[in-house]
Amino acid sequence: MHIPDGLMPPLLCGVGYAGTGGLLWWSSRQLQRQQPDPLATVPRLALLTAGFFAASAVYIPLPLASVHLLLLGSLGALLGYGAMMAVVVGLFLQAVMFGHGGLTTLGLNALIMGVPALLAAGLFHGLWHRCRGWGRSLLGFSLGCGSVLLAVSCFSGIVILGLPPTIDRQRDITAIWVIIASHVPLALLEGVFTAALLNFLARVKPQILNNWSS
């Protein structure tokens, strides 16, 4: 679910970079306000960025297509506003090393995945300590599942918006529906994974979650 080079018009690519730059500035400001020592978050940020980068290599074969893990809900819950930085760095490395996506479309791809991660961070920050028991499991599932569905929706909308009028739009829209359908099982899987991960950390290392949800 990466937009490659050459598919989007230059103006839309520029808008993507502008939006990503604005979100990076905003998220860094939020981190500075939230953390007394922002540099203390660097080890966790580096570790989870590496996890996000490595997740792109884990492909899940499905009847319609192959998909790879995104972990956007987990990034939002564990990194808070730093999730946007992890997404940008991870996508840059994926584009350079694996050819996933492109450099001209890096801003758009970062928006597609960064916005769901930031929304997951905000929901986790506001709701985690208000939930108990199954409520926390439901919240974790919603973060993991919802972030994937939102990301694929953003991807589909941007691709449709940027399609040139000279191509067969109906054929490409059909292909986009196939991509959406293939990501539904992934969304359910990531929902279960995120819920299990957050419940596990709440039992063995609750301070990791308290840094962002208190």
Side-chain angles (χ1 to χ4, degrees), residues 14-63:
V15 171
Y17 268 102
T20 293
L23 283 179
L24 280 174
W25 174 82
W26 177 78
S27 59
S28 63
R29 288 292 301 271
Q30 295 299 318
L31 277 178
Q32 291 175 351
R33 293 174 181 174
Q34 195 178 57
Q35 299 294 321
D37 181 13
L39 291 179
T41 66
V42 171
R44 183 192 301 188
L45 182 61
L47 178 63
L48 292 174
T49 300
F52 171 71
F53 167 73
S56 65
V58 181
Y59 276 85
I60 304 172
L62 295 173

Side-chain angles (χ1 to χ4, degrees), residues 64-175:
L64 296 177
S66 293
V67 298
H68 65 79
L69 299 174
L70 299 178
L71 306 182
L72 302 178
S74 301
L75 282 181
L78 298 179
L79 288 178
Y81 300 108
M84 189 66 193
M85 303 175 190
V87 166
V88 171
V89 174
L91 289 178
F92 173 77
L93 293 176
Q94 290 172 14
V96 172
M97 299 181 66
F98 296 153
H100 293 176
L103 295 180
T104 60
T105 55
L106 178 61
L108 291 173
N109 288 325
L111 287 179
I112 289 170
M113 299 191 188
V115 169
L118 287 177
L119 289 176
L123 290 173
F124 179 81
H125 177 86
L127 298 177
W128 178 254
H129 276 306
R130 300 181 184 180
C131 299
R132 294 292 183 272
W134 283 102
R136 290 188 167 182
S137 297
L138 180 60
L139 175 61
F141 178 85
S142 299
L143 295 179
C145 181
S147 61
V148 174
L149 295 178
L150 180 57
V152 74
S153 298
C154 292
F155 168 83
S156 303
I158 290 175
V159 169
I160 292 174
L161 182 65
L163 285 177
T166 56
I167 67 172
D168 185 351
R169 294 181 66 88
Q170 186 58 45
R171 183 189 62 186
D172 285 278
I173 290 175
T174 300

Side-chain angles (χ1 to χ4, degrees), residues 7-19:
L7 186 61
M8 296 290 104
L11 178 59
L12 194 55
C13 293
V15 171
Y17 268 102

